[in-house]
Amino acid sequence: MSGTMFDRIWDSHAIADLGEGWSLLYLDRLLVHDLSGGRAMRELAEKGRRVAEPNKVFAVPDHAISSAPGRTEHTYPKGAALLASLRERSKAEGVRIFDIGTPGNGIVHVVGPEQGIVLPGLTLACGDSHTCTNGGMGALAFGIGSSELVHALATQTVPQRRPGTFRIRYEGVRPAGVTAKDMILAAIGRFGAAAGTGMAMEYAGSAVRAMSVEERLTLCNLSIEMGAKTGMVAPDDTTFEYLAGRPFAPKGATWDAALADWRKVPSDPGARFTRDEAIDMAELAPQITWGTSPEMVSDVTGHVPTLEDTVPSRRAGLEAALRYMGLEPGQKIAGTKVDWVFIGSCTNSRLSDLRAAAEVLKGRKKAEHVTAWVVPGSEQVKADAEAEGLHHRFREAGFEWREPGCALCVAANGETVPSGARCVSTSNRNFVGRQGTGARTHLASPAMAAAAALAGAIVDVRSY
Amino acid sequence: MEAFRIVEGTAIPLMEANVDTDVIIPIQRLVGSGREGLGEFAFERRRYLPDRSDNPDFIPNQGPYKGSGILLADENFGCGSSREGAVWALMGMGVRCVIAPSFGDIFFSNCFQNGLLPVRLPIEAIRRIAEQTEESPGNARTTVDLERKVVITPRGETIPFAVDDRKREAMLDGLDDISLTLKQADAIAAWREQDRTERNWAWESVV
């Protein structure tokens, strides 16, 4: 027994040992979205089966829904059909749906924690790779494919192979301008986009303990960009305070029982991890990606690598990335002209993200040539932000204040960054074509994105 | 699932790292579409020129590689999005086996759900297959044999690979997981019964 939080949750959910490291895992919660949820439930019906435990399944349409102000489900007609199918199947199966425009809707990985659906010590799966976000609550949360989703709906279980464990300890005090997003991007840059393959990440250390829940969710969100199965942060009083009173969190005596269990979730002090690394916070600076993989990242003060900096087997990849991004080897990153700014996505669309971006604006206006969008992560985030007047501050700076959803992060809703345009985005993937054919994505924190909108170029937020 | 036993052909040397599932199939092609008909959109953004003719620079388009069933890649193939459409698109373009040093975890699982075999080999072995293929692409045959768990390179070198027995057997027979899991229905029911007593809070809050 290695005593890690991950192994503890895994072992307590393993119904059967299937051999060779495989277990049949019980799933405490299952989340579905519009892109695959309706289809998965239809497939299930075609197999003559029903959803095994509908009260543990939550449907949250988010992917193929327009984020345009005043949108309806018909604004993006291809998405309307998916939503209709999700609604129809959810109703037929008795699955709760947080429909668009109603309280509780938003990006599925924003909604889970916000509604108290995800709790410490639980297992959770969703047909989306960024399900690892929910590990910020101290849950074991991972993404699955559509076939696995059908299996999960039919049985409330899924066979999985136990990954190894990889802990990153962030030690020290966070320097100015460094956010959770910078911390995880720096780790991906240091260890590589495949470092977490076959691993469950645990993020620990003094800088993580000092984080808010929303920051922990951001940290865990990019675990998949390191290739990891999941990312987790030990639940603590910060987590418990966040959860108290949320709609699906336990109440009264049940809360007390839950709390007693939750306190046993964190890794033992002497827990052994397959891999253990430490990052000194003092070394970190605001990050910005320059390439087409999240590992192609640098301090904002840095330069694009040269061919000589790069191992021979990766030079062709570097050249292809820079060609796509319209950058030169060795070029200084700051000062690169930006056309678009997107603040949103399951990485960085929560209230604290929007506050951080608004804080940078300080009454200033975006550069004229920049198109700047803010897409709040959920109806709740939107309402909370509007109650503080954040929407006015964004609008006064020339940003569009839009409706909740995945929007420009995955571009599955008809919204894209034009070909050749350069976008500083608070999302999680800078892949070729991710934000639209030919779109050039630079990943950064909300504060860095806001600063880029003001300057019309990539800039160091610390000088803004 | 399509059963898989053996595949032979010219291996396509797409020796790139971090080939993500967005590149394999753009999300726009998956909105409202099913499993069928995705083959023509596999690698769409790299595979075609603006006039929709084949891009001759894209290796899988080149003569002997076109339509081949074996794809070679560098590390972290299929990283990123969980979209199973990436597997459907690859199979739609004729790929039945991808050989790489490592794979995105979710893509790796999705492969086994559909009958696309992901084979992990050391990068040196993959480079050898690529080199032996490139010497004479028209005649270079690579064989991937799941029954024997070996890859046979164009020059006849036999390289064993590891695959979980559980996954191998399901793939050889084309079996899906649901029927296997439902054999455990009693164990699941017993587990639930006990959990409901021990961890009532995890049940009560979503009743």
Side-chain angles (χ1 to χ4, degrees):
Chain A
M1 185 65 210
S2 62
T4 71
M5 165 167 61
F6 169 80
D7 288 309
R8 210 190 309 287
I9 302 178
W10 180 284
D11 290 338
S12 66
H13 287 79
I15 296 174
D17 181 349
L18 306 175
E20 302 174 296
W22 286 80
S23 297
L24 184 63
L25 280 190
Y26 184 76
L27 297 169
D28 292 310
R29 304 286 183 267
L30 198 48
L31 293 165
V32 298
H33 56 77
D34 50 333
L35 216 51
S36 57
R39 179 172 61 201
M41 285 192 272
R42 223 170 43 236
E43 239 177 79
L44 190 67
E46 284 162 10
K47 290 180 193 283
R49 308 201 183 279
R50 302 292 309 266
V51 172
E53 294 194 56
N55 60 322
K56 292 189 172 179
V57 185
F58 295 80
V60 190
D62 58 2
H63 277 65
I65 314 288
S66 166
S67 73
R71 61 108 191 266
T72 70
E73 65 201 79
H74 301 292
T75 308
Y76 183 56
K78 280 170 93 175
L82 292 174
L83 178 54
S85 152
L86 184 68
R87 275 181 190 148
E88 187 269 321
R89 282 291 93 204
S90 296
K91 189 158 179 245
E93 297 285 357
V95 165
R96 288 185 187 90
I97 181 167
F98 296 102
D99 213 331
I100 63 163
T102 67
N105 181 255
I107 305 172
V108 62
H109 312 307
V110 174
V111 166
E114 170 194 288
Q115 295 295 314
I117 294 168
V118 188
L119 303 170
L122 295 191
T123 52
L124 174 149
C126 172
D128 189 280
S129 60
H130 289 109
T131 307
C132 54
T133 311
N134 297 286
M137 306 297 300
L140 169 49
F142 53 90
I144 54 178
S146 359
S147 298
E148 288 176 313
L149 177 59
V150 176
H151 182 287
L153 288 164
T155 65
Q156 201 63 27
T157 70
V158 69
Q160 294 287 302
R161 194 186 216 279
R162 185 196 291 258
T165 51
F166 182 175
R167 177 170 66 177
I168 299 179
R169 285 168 293 124
Y170 291 92
E171 300 292 358
V173 179
R174 216 193 298 179
V178 173
T179 69
K181 179 67 160 288
D182 303 296
M183 290 165 66
I184 189 66
L185 281 174
I188 297 169
R190 189 173 298 190
F191 304 121
T197 305
M199 295 283 188
M201 309 298 303
E202 178 174 337
Y203 305 104
S206 56
V208 173
R209 284 195 298 276
M211 279 181 161
S212 70
V213 165
E214 295 191 352
E215 290 172 320
R216 296 172 185 185
L217 296 170
T218 299
L219 195 65
C220 290
N221 175 268
L222 274 88
S223 301
I224 183 74
E225 307 328 323
M226 216 175 331
K229 177 113 204 139
T230 189
M232 310 172 82
V233 172
D236 58 10
D237 286 340
T238 305
T239 322
F240 311 145
E241 277 161 31
Y242 172 93
L243 276 171
R246 302 220 169 234
F248 290 94
K251 310 265 180 335
T254 317
W255 169 270
D256 296 336
L259 195 59
D261 280 357
W262 294 346
R263 293 202 187 278
K264 298 179 209 149
V265 169
S267 297
D268 300 335
R272 301 235 317 267
F273 293 81
T274 317
R275 183 174 176 187
D276 207 355
E277 299 278 357
I279 291 179
D280 177 0
M281 291 300 296
E283 292 171 7
L284 297 188
Q287 302 288 299
I288 184 100
T289 64
W290 47 262
T292 54
S293 160
E295 71 181 14
M296 294 172 163
V297 65
S298 160
D299 290 357
V300 65
T301 50
H303 294 75
V304 173
T306 62
L307 287 177
E308 295 70 46
D309 293 338
T310 308
V311 294
S313 65
R314 290 300 184 86
R315 284 179 191 165
L318 174 69
E319 284 178 310
L322 294 185
R323 213 165 30 244
Y324 182 80
M325 293 299 293
L327 297 172
E328 296 299 323
Q331 175 183 338
K332 192 167 184 298
I333 295 168
T336 307
K337 191 182 165 212
V338 163
D339 311 294
W340 277 66
V341 165
F342 170 59
I343 296 172
S345 86
C346 57
T347 313
N348 279 132
S349 64
R350 297 176 185 84
L351 186 61
S352 54
D353 298 314
L354 305 191
R355 282 178 182 156
E359 189 56 37
V360 171
L361 299 176
K362 292 195 201 91
R364 292 174 285 186
K365 287 216 182 316
K366 70 168 179 70
E368 204 157 322
H369 68 274
V370 171
T371 303
W373 286 15
V374 183
V375 178
S378 68
E379 292 289 346
Q380 187 66 53
V381 170
K382 185 178 168 218
D384 292 347
E386 289 183 352
E388 293 182 10
L390 294 184
H391 60 315
H392 293 310
R393 289 165 68 186
F394 283 116
R395 282 187 183 138
E396 281 157 16
F399 284 63
E400 283 188 38
W401 178 251
R402 299 176 68 94
E403 298 292 335
C406 303
L408 264 188
C409 170
V410 63
N413 66 345
E415 295 165 2
T416 54
V417 172
S419 185
R422 189 177 299 286
C423 180
V424 173
S425 177
T426 66
S427 56
N428 39 53
R429 289 190 175 135
N430 52 353
F431 297 159
V432 169
R434 170 80 177 185
Q435 293 193 295
T437 302
R440 295 164 169 166
T441 304
H442 295 268
L443 304 175
S445 73
M448 282 280 289
L454 296 177
I458 293 170
V459 286
D460 187 340
V461 66
R462 294 170 298 188
S463 61
Y464 254 73
Chain B
M1 174 170 49
E2 247 180 271
F4 183 106
R5 303 192 90 78
I6 196 162
V7 63
E8 276 184 290
T10 308
I12 312 167
L14 188 69
M15 299 298 290
E16 298 172 18
N18 301 324
V19 174
D20 61 73
T21 55
D22 274 84
V23 161
I24 298 170
I25 184 79
I27 195 80
Q28 293 79 7
R29 296 297 181 189
L30 298 178
V31 179
S33 70
R35 292 167 187 250
E36 309 303 323
L38 294 175
E40 69 168 299
F41 305 122
F43 295 107
E44 183 179 17
R45 293 194 174 106
R46 299 187 51 191
R47 189 166 155 198
Y48 303 113
L49 296 173
D51 69 357
R52 210 67 195 170
S53 62
D54 279 1
N55 173 4
D57 294 337
F58 186 55
I59 292 166
N61 280 341
Q62 296 168 0
Y65 303 130
K66 196 149 177 150
S68 177
I70 303 170
L71 187 68
L72 306 178
D74 205 330
E75 68 167 4
N76 209 21
F77 187 88
C79 62
S81 160
S82 61
R83 62 190 69 173
E84 200 157 318
V87 174
W88 305 333
L90 285 168
M91 291 181 80
M93 76 177 276
V95 174
R96 291 302 309 278
C97 172
V98 182
I99 306 177
S102 60
F103 291 87
D105 281 336
I106 309 175
F107 175 84
F108 192 76
S109 299
N110 289 342
C111 284
F112 282 105
Q113 302 287 343
N114 291 279
L116 175 72
L117 180 66
V119 171
R120 282 191 282 237
L121 287 184
I123 187 65
E124 298 74 22
I126 300 171
R127 288 203 185 111
R128 282 206 303 282
I129 301 171
E131 283 159 18
Q132 292 174 24
T133 300
E134 284 163 342
E135 282 169 8
S136 175
N139 309 310
R141 307 279 291 171
T142 295
T143 303
V144 180
D145 185 337
L146 179 59
E147 216 153 17
R148 292 174 55 210
K149 297 191 278 187
V150 293
V151 175
I152 303 164
T153 73
R155 283 205 209 134
E157 180 190 353
T158 298
I159 307 171
F161 64 87
V163 54
D164 289 331
D165 283 339
R166 185 172 176 278
K167 286 290 160 191
R168 175 174 165 270
E169 281 156 27
M171 206 147 174
L172 287 170
D173 296 337
L175 290 179
D176 78 19
D177 278 338
I178 297 183
S179 36
L180 291 173
T181 297
L182 288 172
K183 288 184 189 159
Q184 312 249 17
D186 290 347
I188 298 173
W191 190 95
R192 289 182 50 196
E193 207 51 50
Q194 192 180 344
D195 189 57
R196 195 168 199 144
T197 317
E198 289 175 359
R199 238 177 17 130
N200 185 256
W201 57 266
W203 294 72
E204 276 299 305
S205 53
V206 289
V207 164

